[in-house]
Amino acid sequence: MEIGIDSFAAILPDPATGQLPSATDRMADLLAEVEVADRAGLDVFGIGEHHRAEFLDSAPAIILAAAAARTEQIRLTSAVTVLSAADPVRVFQEFATLDLISKGRAELVVGRGSFGEAYPLFGMDPRDYDALFAEKLDLFLKLGASKHPIWKGRFRAALEGQGVYPRPHQARLPVWIGVGGTPESFVRAGTLGLPLMVAIIGGTFERFRPLVDLYRDAGAKAGHSPDKLKVGVHAMGFVGETDAAARDAFFPGWAHLTAKIGRERGWSPPSRQQFDAMAGPEGAFLVGAPATVAAKMCHADDALGGVSRITFQMSTASLETAAMKRSIELLGTEVAPIIRAA
């Protein structure tokens, strides 16, 4: 099982003072976190894509390129690229360039996005949510297969054999499909034979097993070998010295963001009781001491019938960068050895 971190470059108020750090300082801290993850031996670091004031990740390829120049081993991925609202040609060029800078460490997780801001921002109609993604994914995959693609669709100009450069260092850029809870998304990924990254940000891991089975069944029916049908999990996570310390560190930032987004979506306000339940033995939050987190990762692997990668979304913790770095170190030096031994 590969282990990594996904960051949305959240910029959150200090829980003691209520003051926001500067965007410049937060970006410097984020790049330092990637360096720590690389030194700690983690497998992958992902940067999300949002177009909101709470996050600094609207241009993930640029952040990843800066990280590539400061790291040596860790793979660098989007988490996720909102492909529906982007030009696939430009996305391919950006990540092929990242792959050259990193000497073959670039990947993408592509999806439709769980927030809608990108669609009007880039002139897309949200009513075309499904059609946009299907068409743009088709084009993106063709770009990986051919330097001179022939392609025609509804939402961008046709390609008639123009060269698309640069080409990546790797023979093909690895592409994962990022999904939430829509069955059709799981079936699409399986039919295409692409690895699946499931965002599980609440509830239980068991709840997603029927959807993961849909993915594997669709892949088998399409003739793809089981080794191609990899399942990854993106989950809320944070590692502390003790269970209590980890929960106390993670809760304020999680509650702040969940409350803000919840007001927009009509959710009830989050509570500490709700949070503790999701961080408990049955919940899907990977928050706790190293042994606790490792046990829950093994549980996720079992509940979903085998997991190839788990990435921790820990950037909602309102913490000083030293505490964040310590959590990353614990994940790499104490949690990862337990998982690899198991």
Side-chain angles (χ1 to χ4, degrees):
M1 181 193 295
E2 294 179 328
I3 303 170
I5 294 168
D6 289 334
S7 176
F8 297 164
I11 182 164
L12 300 173
D14 184 291
T17 67
Q19 297 297 309
L20 283 172
S22 75
T24 301
D25 288 345
R26 177 67 188 102
M27 190 63 71
D29 290 343
L30 173 60
L31 292 173
E33 290 161 16
V34 187
E35 289 186 89
V36 173
D38 187 47
R39 291 196 301 268
L42 292 176
D43 299 294
V44 61
F45 202 107
I47 300 292
E49 180 189 338
H50 300 83
H51 302 273
R52 300 173 57 94
E54 303 93 343
F55 306 112
L56 301 177
D57 60 351
S58 64
I62 294 178
I63 300 173
L64 292 168
R70 300 168 62 159
T71 56
E72 297 180 358
Q73 301 296 327
I74 198 165
R75 297 192 66 78
L76 302 165
T77 185
S78 59
V80 304
T81 293
V82 185
L83 192 61
S84 303
D87 180 354
V89 174
R90 197 61 176 142
V91 172
F92 181 87
Q93 291 174 323
E94 290 170 349
F95 278 83
T97 303
L98 170 64
D99 204 45
L100 297 175
I101 294 169
S102 66
K103 297 182 174 66
R105 292 185 281 133
E107 298 186 4
L108 297 92
V109 180
V110 299
R112 297 177 293 185
S114 59
F115 293 86
E117 289 85 1
Y119 291 84
L121 185 63
F122 297 110
M124 306 298 170
D125 189 337
R127 291 173 296 184
D128 295 323
Y129 187 76
D130 292 318
L132 279 163
F133 183 69
E135 177 177 301
K136 292 188 176 187
L137 177 62
D138 176 66
L139 173 54
F140 191 85
L141 295 176
K142 283 184 169 57
L143 296 171
S146 173
K147 297 177 184 177
H148 300 277
I150 305 294
W151 179 90
K152 186 176 182 179
R154 288 174 53 199
F155 300 108
R156 81 171 309 281
L159 293 176
E160 301 175 346
Q162 300 98 318
V164 178
Y165 301 104
R167 307 307 294 180
H169 177 87
Q170 299 172 89
R172 294 285 288 269
L173 284 171
V175 179
W176 298 62
I177 302 294
V179 298
T182 306
E184 292 79 8
S185 298
F186 288 79
V187 171
R188 176 192 290 119
T191 301
L192 292 170
L194 294 174
L196 183 78
M197 180 57 67
V198 189
I200 302 179
I201 57 173
T204 66
F205 294 112
E206 287 84 355
R207 184 167 63 92
F208 286 83
R209 178 60 181 266
L211 294 169
V212 170
D213 287 344
L214 274 179
Y215 163 70
R216 292 186 170 120
D217 289 345
K221 289 176 182 176
H224 300 296
S225 61
D227 63 302
K228 287 188 66 177
L229 302 173
K230 297 192 294 185
V231 175
V233 171
H234 160 100
M236 295 288 185
F238 190 80
V239 189
E241 304 289 350
T242 66
D243 288 351
R247 293 184 186 190
D248 289 345
F250 195 78
F251 175 75
W254 174 83
H256 175 84
L257 274 181
T258 302
K260 187 175 190 307
I261 294 167
R263 286 192 294 272
E264 299 172 8
R265 299 185 178 185
W267 300 345
S268 58
S271 68
R272 181 60 189 255
Q273 183 180 17
Q274 176 189 9
F275 172 82
D276 285 340
M278 286 189 284
E282 303 301 321
F285 282 10
L286 303 172
V287 177
T292 299
V293 170
K296 293 194 75 173
M297 292 171 71
C298 290
H299 171 68
D301 181 63
D302 182 63
L304 296 173
V307 172
S308 297
R309 176 182 290 180
I310 293 182
T311 55
F312 284 56
Q313 205 296 82
M314 59 169 63
S315 62
T316 48
S318 293
L319 296 168
E320 301 223 356
T321 188
M324 195 74 162
K325 289 177 183 177
R326 178 57 180 156
S327 183
I328 295 168
E329 289 172 348
L330 287 170
L331 182 60
T333 61
E334 297 197 24
V335 177
I338 298 172
I339 297 299
R340 289 163 186 158

